[in-house]
Amino acid sequence: MSTHTLVHQAVNNSTTTGLKALGDRLFARWFSQLVYAQIWEDPQVDIEALQLQPGARLLTIASGGCNALAYLSQQPAVVHAVDLNHSHLAMLALKKAAFATLPDYQTLLDFLGSADSKHNPQRFRRYVAPQLPVAARQYWEGKDWRGRQRYQLFAHRAYRHGLLGGFIGFGHVMTRLLGGNLSRLADAANLAEQRELFERHLAPVFRHPLLRFLARRESLLYSMGIPPAQFAALRADAGGNLAGLFQERLRRLACDFPFAANPFAQQAFARRYDLTQQDALPMYLQSRHYETIRSNLSRLLSHHGSLTDFLDGCAPQSLDGYLLLDAQDWMDDNQLNSLWRQITRTAAPGARVVFRTGGSRSPLEGRLAPQLMACWHTDPDHNRSLHARDRSAIYGGVHVYSKRT
């Protein structure tokens, strides 16, 4: 089944009527491209929330592939990476093949870290391409809208591409036009300077009438992977002040975590990773995890389809951890309950489910069938603590649910 068909089925549901129907169709078309060249959820928080142990059996959404690889550092028995979007599975396949075939850590860091070396196309052809599955190789050797083979992205700052990369670039341009400067925050040497530069170069932009107008345009956020249903949750959380909500999310990213230890802020403000500082790299690219990830690549398996359909083919009590990203924000009640029936059936005793939400409220509360909810437990205080430590900073909540024993 094609990516567009799968995404269309995911976003079109019982709430798809009127203007939302048009928005859902536009989002499905938009989201069928490469959206995330890198994932935007913090794997360190995921690992803590799951209490991940060696031998665990995991299900995750593939997205940009970074986190699925990061989980291999904990030596799970298997990581099933599922995605509706074949572009994301191709990105994961490329990153996995790079680990398997590039000759050493420094070459891997040059290929996936800087992602702009003139040598990378040759490295792709010599090392990576022969290791790729047929569909992934066809994707990367195919041409983009410029007429350039897609693997050439890794000679042109790959993380500035994809819909999210383009959106961040648009944000930099728009901020400069409105009198601010996102890139100036990368000059900060400590948290105090980060906060001072945010107040000087970014906070005033959120008071500009044009930005306040644009913040209310939900189609503008499609490039962040935010569908109409999730936008509605953001609007509810914002109490009518979406610009204020976005300012607070960006303030967290800019001010709550040292840049030297936050790869998300590195990409948002400097538009690159700082390769001189290991803690500034995504977890999967840190040298201390290189050998472990490389030795466990065979445990990472990719699947094109929906979470619910994948789980329908799994045996009872066969999984220990589930990482749903923010996918449930897309779902109506029927889709949500269908997913959780499969999660509850396939969850081993003590299994954990971790997910993010655009708004602060868990989508399970008041929507999940009581007989399903009775099988699970969550601790709101612990969830708030996890959310406070999530360096990606763009979500309204991080939630973990544990299966009752």
Side-chain angles (χ1 to χ4, degrees):
M1 192 176 294
S2 72
T3 290
H4 176 67
T5 300
L6 288 168
V7 175
H8 180 81
Q9 290 176 349
V11 300
N12 283 264
N13 51 50
S14 62
T15 67
T16 302
T17 59
L19 287 176
K20 183 179 180 298
L22 176 60
D24 285 346
R25 286 196 294 272
L26 289 172
F27 177 80
R29 178 64 63 184
W30 198 239
F31 199 79
S32 298
Q33 310 169 58
L34 176 66
V35 182
Y36 304 113
Q38 76 264 350
I39 196 168
W40 213 265
E41 285 84 11
D42 191 343
Q44 293 179 186
V45 167
D46 293 342
I47 289 168
E48 179 186 347
L50 288 174
Q51 297 183 3
L52 193 55
Q53 300 295 321
R57 300 157 296 176
L58 302 182
L59 170 66
T60 184
I61 294 175
S63 188
C66 317
N67 286 14
L69 285 159
Y71 305 143
L72 295 180
S73 68
Q74 308 302 301
Q75 302 189 67
V78 64
V79 177
H80 294 288
V82 179
D83 211 290
L84 302 170
N85 191 327
H86 79 282
S87 302
H88 292 157
L89 294 174
M91 180 64 77
L92 173 59
L94 180 143
K95 291 177 178 178
K96 180 180 176 182
F99 265 89
T101 63
L102 294 176
D104 51 46
Y105 170 73
Q106 192 56 51
T107 308
L108 178 82
L109 189 60
D110 201 32
F111 190 86
L112 294 179
S114 61
D116 69 347
S117 169
K118 65 180 181 180
H119 302 295
N120 283 345
Q122 180 183 1
R123 289 166 175 157
F124 173 87
R125 293 189 295 268
R126 178 180 177 184
Y127 296 108
V128 178
Q131 182 76 10
L132 290 173
V134 172
R137 183 166 183 172
Q138 289 174 343
Y139 175 84
W140 287 110
E141 292 180 342
K143 295 184 177 180
D144 61 16
W145 62 272
R146 302 176 186 83
R148 186 172 65 191
Q149 288 180 299
R150 292 189 181 95
Y151 68 81
Q152 297 284 345
L153 288 182
F154 287 85
H156 298 88
R157 298 182 175 180
Y159 303 116
R160 297 191 181 190
H161 299 272
L163 296 184
L164 179 60
F167 181 86
I168 293 172
F170 169 79
H172 275 257
V173 172
M174 181 58 63
T175 301
R176 292 294 293 270
L177 290 174
L178 299 181
N181 193 332
L182 278 164
S183 62
R184 285 298 306 276
L185 275 80
D187 298 335
N190 52 52
L191 282 172
E193 289 186 12
Q194 289 171 215
R195 291 164 185 152
E196 191 274 330
L197 289 171
F198 179 84
E199 293 301 325
R200 186 193 308 174
H201 295 289
L202 268 183
V205 172
F206 287 92
R207 297 191 287 272
H208 195 286
L210 178 57
L211 189 139
R212 300 181 73 84
F213 170 79
L214 292 174
R216 298 193 295 271
R217 309 276 77 79
E218 64 183 66
S219 60
L220 189 66
L221 301 183
Y222 289 173
S223 295
M224 293 183 69
I226 297 176
Q230 190 174 56
F231 187 83
L234 290 171
R235 188 163 45 210
D237 253 27
N241 183 12
L242 279 161
L245 182 142
F246 296 142
Q247 177 180 350
E248 174 56 23
R249 300 278 172 94
L250 195 60
R251 188 207 62 77
R252 286 193 65 233
L253 180 64
C255 303
D256 285 10
F257 310 95
F259 283 175
N262 190 351
F264 306 102
Q266 295 277 333
Q267 283 293 338
F269 301 115
R271 305 218 67 202
R272 48 96 179 119
Y273 298 127
D274 184 349
L275 304 187
T276 68
Q277 301 188 76
Q278 283 286 308
D279 287 343
L281 295 172
M283 184 177 175
Y284 83 107
L285 288 180
Q286 294 172 3
S287 60
R288 60 181 171 269
H289 301 304
Y290 171 68
E291 293 294 346
T292 305
I293 291 173
R294 202 172 191 219
S295 65
N296 284 284
L297 290 172
S298 63
R299 303 182 186 188
L300 176 56
L301 306 176
S302 300
H303 311 272
H304 189 206
S306 74
L307 294 170
T308 304
D309 287 345
F310 173 79
L311 288 170
D312 186 50
C314 294
Q317 299 189 4
S318 59
L319 293 168
D320 304 297
Y322 304 75
L323 297 127
L324 307 182
L325 309 189
D326 62 341
Q328 294 172 116
D329 283 0
W330 301 24
M331 298 179 184
D332 66 8
D333 289 359
N334 288 335
Q335 291 169 319
L336 189 70
N337 280 275
S338 294
L339 173 62
W340 277 84
R341 278 193 292 271
Q342 293 296 345
I343 290 174
T344 303
R345 182 184 67 82
T346 58
R352 290 176 167 239
V353 182
V354 178
F355 57 88
R356 272 111 174 137
T357 48
S360 57
R361 189 168 182 263
S362 167
L364 306 190
E365 307 302 325
R367 295 177 58 197
L368 198 64
Q371 64 270 27
L372 292 173
M373 185 65 88
C375 299
W376 298 87
H377 167 75
T378 192
D379 179 346
D381 290 336
H382 182 54
N383 294 343
R384 284 189 286 270
S385 174
L386 291 169
H387 177 241
R389 295 197 298 281
D390 191 332
R391 294 169 300 163
S392 73
I394 64 172
Y395 290 103
V398 176
H399 310 269
V400 55
Y401 283 73
S402 305
K403 192 175 185 184
R404 298 183 189 275
T405 56

